[in-house]
Amino acid sequence: MGYDAWIIITASLVGIVCAMIGSFLILRKMAMLADAISHTVLLGIVGGYFVSRSLEGPSLLLGAVIVGLLTAFLVQVLSAKGVQSDAAIGVVFTSLFALGVILLSVYGGNIHLDVDHALMGEITFIPWDTFVFNGIDLGPKAVWLLGFVLIVNLTIIIICYKEFKITSFDPEMAAAIGIPVLFFHYLQMGMLSISTVASFDSVGAILVVAMLIVPASTAYLLTDKLLHMILISAGIGVLSAVSGYYFATLFNVSIAGSMATMTGIFFVFTFLLSPKHGIIAKKRMRKRISAQTLRAKETSY
């Protein structure tokens, strides 16, 4: 398979993996927590490297999950103590991310992971870092890792779909009928953490945040059904990856940045043109209601 194809496949997998969990985060109004965790997992990656002295293996995933859950826990604790939720996210986000940057800058000079790499990723190098088994090149390691995370997340969503749906739309009702809301909250945070770290080394934090939030937000404007929202957001993630790559090659600019930009462009078009929630549709609806109200008044006279 060609160089271009592997980059597009990797970015598309990032789009699908992030969009799936991002849909639930958007419904729960936790988009900024997704932004926080996508950055604070840097601390988990650094910690996992210090433990295993390797950038491969389960230690990085485990470190990211631990820090992701820690981020969600600290935000919840601060919110429970009276700190506004956005302020709580800001405090935890900046503190843990800054700690990860400091540790990486001071102790991580001998590894190929640095702050710029963490933010922007190195997706152009994906085709060269391959998984070899018995002398057979099986393709980029990032594709295998993202494929594994996709299967894990998809399995969890299928098994827990009903619980995820109820806790997303009505957590009070979920608690009333005996669903452990807190457990499913932290389960989603764990899914978010492994999704983030699986994408982190390939595309960087900026594209991860874009794929987590923007495709799901776009899909939210296009449908009122959760299953459709998940599928549409995944499709937008893939479309953004493909169009962003060809935009980057055409204008010789950042691939990850172009893909993130395309998610924004698709959102703007949807925000304007959505048949139900778009600005144009709402203006037409207001005009129609005003016209009907005026006719009703004229008839009454």
Side-chain angles (χ1 to χ4, degrees):
M1 193 173 293
Y3 172 89
D4 294 346
W6 282 125
I7 293 179
I8 292 174
I9 290 172
T10 302
S12 297
L13 284 172
V14 171
I16 296 171
V17 167
C18 291
M20 288 170 58
I21 185 64
S23 297
F24 295 102
L25 299 174
I26 292 298
L27 290 175
R28 297 179 62 188
K29 299 180 181 180
M30 297 174 62
M32 292 311 299
L33 184 58
D35 184 13
I37 290 179
S38 66
H39 284 78
T40 58
V41 292
L42 175 64
L43 178 60
I45 293 173
V46 176
Y49 170 77
F50 288 157
V51 171
S52 65
R53 310 305 299 180
S54 173
L55 288 175
E56 300 178 2
S59 60
L60 301 188
L61 282 174
L62 181 60
V65 169
I66 292 173
V67 174
L69 294 177
L70 177 64
T71 302
F73 174 74
L74 292 176
V75 169
Q76 188 171 12
V77 168
L78 291 177
S79 299
K81 295 298 183 180
V83 180
Q84 292 184 356
S85 59
D86 56 347
I89 292 173
V91 170
V92 176
F93 165 26
T94 53
S95 300
L96 295 183
F97 181 61
L99 179 59
V101 170
I102 291 172
L103 292 175
L104 187 59
S105 302
V106 174
Y107 300 107
N110 296 326
I111 58 176
H112 77 276
L113 181 65
D114 55 32
V115 176
D116 290 336
H117 176 92
L119 291 175
M120 296 303 298
E122 292 291 352
I123 196 170
T124 53
F125 295 153
I126 291 300
W128 312 117
D129 187 15
T130 59
F131 179 58
V132 179
F133 182 75
N134 285 338
I136 302 175
D137 190 336
L138 299 177
K141 294 177 182 177
V143 173
W144 284 92
L145 178 59
L146 287 164
F148 170 75
V149 172
L150 174 60
I151 293 172
V152 170
N153 284 356
L154 186 60
T155 301
I156 294 174
I157 289 174
I158 291 173
I159 294 173
C160 304
Y161 180 77
K162 182 182 70 175
E163 289 79 5
F164 280 172
K165 186 175 183 179
I166 297 175
T167 54
S168 296
F169 285 103
D170 196 341
E172 289 79 13
M173 175 185 149
I177 63 177
I179 295 177
V181 177
L182 201 58
F183 168 78
F184 287 104
H185 169 72
Y186 285 114
L187 178 60
Q188 288 184 352
M189 294 305 100
M191 294 168 61
L192 172 61
S193 299
I194 64 170
S195 300
T196 299
V197 74
S199 310
F200 209 89
D201 188 48
S202 304
V203 300
I206 293 176
L207 184 56
V208 171
V209 174
M211 288 296 193
L212 278 170
I213 299 174
V214 187
S217 300
T218 306
Y220 182 80
L221 298 174
L222 294 173
T223 182
D224 295 324
K225 294 184 178 181
L226 176 58
L227 181 59
H228 293 172
M229 180 179 175
I230 295 173
L231 295 175
I232 292 172
S233 62
I236 292 172
V238 173
L239 189 60
S240 299
V242 175
S243 58
Y245 177 76
Y246 286 108
F247 179 88
T249 56
L250 180 63
F251 293 99
N252 192 28
V253 293
S254 166
I255 295 177
S258 297
M259 292 176 179
T261 300
M262 292 309 299
T263 64
I265 290 174
F266 289 130
F267 175 80
V268 170
F269 274 110
T270 304
F271 185 67
L272 292 173
L273 304 175
S274 171
K276 185 175 181 180
H277 300 290
I279 289 181
I280 296 176
K282 287 182 177 179
K283 285 185 176 180
R284 289 177 178 174
M285 180 62 69
R286 283 196 293 267
K287 288 181 179 179
R288 190 179 300 116
I289 293 174
S290 298
Q292 291 174 351
T293 303
L294 181 60
R295 284 197 297 267
K297 288 182 178 180
E298 292 175 348
T299 303
S300 64
Y301 288 123

